[in-house]
Amino acid sequence: PPDYTPAGRRAGLSGTERIMTPPPARYATVGTPPGPFTVVVTSGPDGRDVVLASGWTDDVADLLSVVHRSLRPTWVEHAGDLPVLDAVTAFFEGDVTAIDDIPVQQRSGPFLEDAWDVLRTVPPGAPDTYASFAARCGRPTAVRAAANACARNAAALFVPCHRVLGASGGLGGFRWGTPVKRQLLDHEAAHTAVRPELAG
């Protein structure tokens, strides 16, 4: 298997490359109803953990491969727990807004970076279609580009690409499988519905 230790990740790098590489990152896994969920974080300038990648896997290599090369850590260290996972647990316990303020860092071209920011404005329980998401991004004709932003999102759940559906209401694609996407949408719908005692 790949060697993610400091020595293994540094092997073969010149002094200049070592200086230019990003700082080490940490990862941890938590159980969720759809399956094990792993998150890779680095430290932000304010000391808070910033999500680089996340998804339904217990193999961190699945996540490192989708981190932009300019952000990919030189190595990763396993953490017994990470504070961001508290938000994941709260989400699955019914607080579907618990993930909203978790810092995320992704990098690509301007449209994709803007689209990932816009994805975080799609409310739980009210999914967009790819066309309406493109319009939300200010480019109503760029449906294919909007779908590409969803496909290339590395920070699943925190950047909720699962909230974008096909034109006919079909699930479309999802990196972690359409059954997971269906579970997330059903969970959010159940926890954003207006309770009878609050209606009227």
Side-chain angles (χ1 to χ4, degrees):
D3 182 355
Y4 296 117
T5 64
R9 295 293 291 164
R10 287 173 173 167
L13 296 182
S14 70
T16 301
E17 288 171 317
R18 281 196 296 271
I19 291 169
M20 297 301 292
T21 51
R26 289 161 292 130
Y27 73 98
T29 303
V30 66
T32 72
F37 182 84
T38 299
V39 61
V40 178
V41 303
T42 190
S43 294
D46 60 357
R48 293 181 69 192
D49 286 342
V50 177
V51 174
L52 297 178
S54 52
W56 280 271
T57 178
D58 57 7
D59 186 349
V60 68
D62 293 339
L63 298 177
L64 293 177
S65 64
V66 298
V67 177
H68 191 275
R69 63 183 179 276
S70 67
L71 298 174
R72 196 169 295 151
T74 54
W75 72 88
V76 290
E77 300 170 343
H78 182 262
D81 189 23
L82 291 171
V84 297
L85 292 181
D86 293 340
V88 175
T89 298
F91 173 90
F92 282 105
E93 289 177 346
D95 181 2
V96 292
T97 64
I99 57 173
D100 291 356
D101 295 325
I102 300 298
V104 172
Q105 186 175 22
Q106 299 195 78
R107 188 166 295 165
S108 187
F111 176 78
L112 286 184
E113 291 186 13
D114 288 346
W116 290 326
D117 287 341
V118 172
L119 267 174
R120 303 196 82 179
T121 71
V122 180
D128 270 353
T129 62
Y130 290 110
S132 59
F133 173 54
R136 190 187 289 264
C137 291
R139 292 179 58 181
T141 62
V143 176
R144 187 183 299 268
N148 185 47
C150 294
R152 292 182 59 185
N153 171 39
L157 190 62
F158 303 105
V159 177
C161 57
H162 63 274
R163 296 177 188 164
V164 184
L165 304 174
S168 62
L171 290 177
F174 189 56
R175 182 189 304 276
W176 305 107
T178 52
V180 174
K181 186 172 184 175
R182 179 77 273 162
Q183 281 185 266
L184 294 173
L185 292 169
D186 289 349
H187 175 74
E188 291 178 337
H191 290 282
T192 54
V194 177
R195 298 196 302 274
E197 65 270 23
L198 298 181

